[in-house]
Amino acid sequence: MRRTGYLMMTAMAIVANGAAMAQVADPARWPAAKSPGLIDSATEAKVAALMKRLSLEEKVGQMIQADIGAITPEDLRRYPLGSILAGGSSPPIDHPDRSPVAPWVETSRAFNAVAMAPRAGHVAIPLMFGVDAVHGNNNIVGASLFPHNIGLGAMRDPALIRRIGAATAAETAAAGIDWAFGPTLAVPQDDRWGRAYEGYSEDPAVVESYAGAMVEGLQGAPGQWGIQRGHVAASVKHFLGDGGTKDGIDQGDTQVDEATLIRVHDAGYPDAVRAGAMTVMASFSSWNGVKMHGNKSLLTGVLKGRMGFDGFIVGDWNGHGQIPGCTNTDCPATFNAGLDMAMAPDSWKGLYESTLAAAKKGTIPMARIDDAVRRILRVKMKLGLFDAARPYEARPQVVGSADHRAIAREAVAKSLVLLKNDGVLPIKPSASILVAGAAANDIGRQSGGWTLSWQGDGNTDADFPGATSIYAGIAAAAKAGGGSATLSADGSFTTRPDVAIVVFGELPYAEMRGDVRTLEFEPGDKESLALLKKLKAAGIPTVSVFLSGRPMWVNPELNQSNAFVAAWFPGSEGEGVADVLIGGKRDFTGMLSFSWPKTAGQFTLNHGEPGYDPLFPFGYGLSYARGGKVPALSEVAGIDASLANTSLFFARGRVPTPFALTLDPAITRTAVDSETAQEAAMQLAWRGAGTAKITGPTLGLIRETNGDLNLQVTYRLPRAATQPVGLAMAGGRVEVGNTLDATPGWHVLRVPLKCFRDAGGTMDTVTSPFAITSSAPMTIAISDIRLATDPAGAVCPTGAGK
């Protein structure tokens, strides 16, 4: 869930092997289930009595959810909505998005105070407040952050999953929030998908084994529900097939037959329903061309019918607007298909008004509206929201508590998978240890996406009070054992160490921007490999700790390492890594929940499928008790590295492939120092009118545009122009002359992609992601140009025009 865009799939039947595949499910083919405890006579009587008092306007309001970044508490006096959410980067009221628990409690109370205020003609109904608490309550500064699901899948430990769910729920309730958008029950089949790390495994059985345990962890067992107990509503997601889209494209089309949809992608849902899941979130994706937000056969026929789901179905971020014939602000079709509450973050007002009009006209039958509202009120009652007591809001110490951090630390240790060990592990506690790599002392890097911001970017260690970096955990273990640990990001040293631990891997990402075109790690720019080679050349035994949200082709890095550990995105408790690497008191127990590729082009590598040929198979994992060496590996990736880059246009003093820079004759280019490195920036000097342009292969950036991504330029301006300066993308131009900062030092300009779209840019066919034009002399130094998600300071410059 977050600001995601439009990917139209036609409603034509998908043809595979000459045969059309179904778009309409047959409920009789699906496993049966039944929600326990959601329906009982006393609750249903209370719901019925309450519904008799509700006006049509109030009923429709219950079916709409708005984001706190686009609604105020006062809006609820006119629009009686049923729910609010805080999207991935939406801040609490009057506070920054990175805030501790108190501002979130204040925000929750401010909205509910209006919702529950007595006034004529108004029935007081408490709001549900939802967040993406996907690896702990990851929106809150100071929260315990657990490994992402791909790491939890490597544990094979449903009992620990239940404890993680309970800790997450308690920290969510303590922040005034009663609804966690999780767990994700996707079964990722293509590792290019940017949300692969949100899935527990490629194997349906692993996902099934965790589904009920996590639901019960978050909600408590049926009969033990209630926000007063520190439990929150779960939202199992994304129903259905989000992990099976063609080519791993986020929000894409899952082109499989019904039997595969049932066997693979439905694996976790029956157990989640049987565990009492209160809500289910519909998927952005399509099944054979039909958007899930509009697939009545699956939402109503299968989920509510065959599976006996008695809770309610919520949409994803404007997902209803992707249904053909719908817009973000008008979509009767989604409710008629079975959606009960639409997530309309910034479109809530228009959707409320159009849905009310459709209800009055009968376009949405009254019986469908009553069914949706009944389900929503039922969940609110079972969650205890009509009881004003919120004891956990008075327990801020629950957030990041020692007990919860201990659970997270245990999960880190159990999630680590040892891929290679030539005997360098375990490391003696008395050793002199060099800790290297850019990610070694960076809690944000080790925590991944969905960490204080949507994509997990823009964080510093100051945003993680109480957390421990991987380096800090190693240093503490070495000190306790009589050894030492020295941090050196670039691997330099003055005193020769006994061993080096290098921490490196993917940068944090979330949906959409996490989609990749190759599984090669650092294609075309082997910075981490160079560090490993440097240490190997010095004769230093080296342990690689690899951070990633998916299995990746790292054969060159494996060859340069004496030991190699897949650490995934472990979260806030870096000591868990040291617990296994140092001293040997704790052995590796993690096993791959995703198959590890032999080449960078093995995108769909799932055990049991034809042609299965991994480097390390599903279930692989070495230990101190079960040793095993890895022979020298081929370093032929098997795929063009230039295919990988779709978002980085200038960095480290060069334009990376597949992009190129062209300069008009009036412009000269000189290499200059960046803020951090020698000759890592370019200085462009205009003698007269001219354009500097970066071009490359055609990019489709509609999703990124609708997802509020920015063109981010890091620059300094030694000489400002006296005439207009234009910044352009895809033919859409904005005037930035008055926006560029000419004060000394480096600055960051962030222009939302929608600004270029609104200025006439063709965002579906972008061949020039960056062009800067001046009609007068100007000098600008640039160290970085990229697409980015951090919204801080983003601005549409005035004077846009093509």
Side-chain angles (χ1 to χ4, degrees), residues 537-696:
I540 309 299
T542 301
V543 178
S544 287
V545 176
F546 184 59
L547 307 179
S548 74
R550 63 189 119 220
M552 303 196 76
W553 186 76
V554 288
N555 284 17
E557 290 81 5
L558 277 160
N559 284 341
Q560 296 298 319
S561 305
N562 297 98
F564 198 99
V565 179
W568 319 110
F569 288 125
S572 62
E573 307 311 303
E575 307 103 315
V577 175
D579 289 342
V580 184
L581 268 59
I582 312 296
K585 293 182 179 179
R586 180 161 203 158
D587 203 347
F588 286 89
T589 58
M591 299 181 289
L592 290 178
S593 59
F594 287 76
S595 304
W596 202 275
K598 184 178 289 185
T599 74
Q602 288 181 302
F603 308 133
T604 54
L605 184 65
N606 304 300
H607 78 107
E609 296 296 322
Y612 182 67
D613 184 27
L615 178 63
F616 303 120
F618 172 84
Y620 175 91
L622 303 176
S623 68
Y624 300 141
R626 301 186 314 277
K629 293 187 177 182
V630 176
L633 302 171
S634 168
E635 297 192 4
V636 178
I639 191 169
D640 184 356
S642 69
L643 295 175
N645 182 27
T646 61
S647 61
L648 182 64
F649 311 125
F650 185 84
R652 301 190 185 97
R654 63 185 181 84
V655 178
T657 56
F659 300 101
L661 174 69
T662 58
L663 304 175
D664 283 350
I667 306 171
T668 58
R669 173 183 175 181
T670 307
V672 295
D673 295 346
S674 72
E675 190 173 21
T676 59
Q678 186 176 13
E679 295 193 356
M682 64 176 175
Q683 182 163 289
L684 304 177
W686 276 254
R687 297 187 304 275
T691 298
K693 178 186 289 189
I694 292 175
T695 57

Side-chain angles (χ1 to χ4, degrees), residues 97-173:
D97 57 343
R98 293 166 178 83
S99 288
V101 64
W104 291 99
V105 172
E106 294 167 7
T107 296
S108 176
R109 290 176 176 173
F111 277 100
N112 259 311
V114 178
M116 300 301 291
R119 54 188 180 271
H122 169 68
V123 179
I125 299 176
L127 295 166
M128 286 186 73
F129 187 0
V131 296
D132 283 283
V134 297
H135 66 130
N137 190 6
N138 43 261
N139 284 307
I140 309 299
V141 169
S144 307
L145 301 178
F146 301 92
H148 272 293
N149 285 355
I150 191 171
L152 300 184
M155 301 187 315
R156 308 294 207 278
D157 192 339
L160 184 51
I161 286 289
R162 184 177 281 103
R163 292 164 56 205
I164 290 170
T168 299
E171 296 199 15
T172 303

Side-chain angles (χ1 to χ4, degrees), residues 1-6 195 250-251 284 316-318 322 454 511-512 703 706-707:
M1 185 286 304
R2 190 54 181 102
R3 298 181 174 92
T4 39
Y6 180 77
R195 306 190 77 163
D250 189 49
Q251 304 180 33
F284 276 117
D316 208 336
W317 192 280
N318 281 329
Q322 298 188 13
W454 175 29
E511 59 195 288
M512 190 169 58
R703 290 183 304 156
N706 293 338

Side-chain angles (χ1 to χ4, degrees), residues 396-421:
Q397 69 275 13
V398 167
V399 176
S401 70
D403 287 346
H404 293 170
R405 291 191 184 277
I407 294 170
R409 181 173 178 171
E410 178 183 352
V412 173
K414 288 184 173 180
S415 69
L416 302 176
V417 180
L418 181 59
L419 300 182
K420 176 181 180 179
N421 185 19

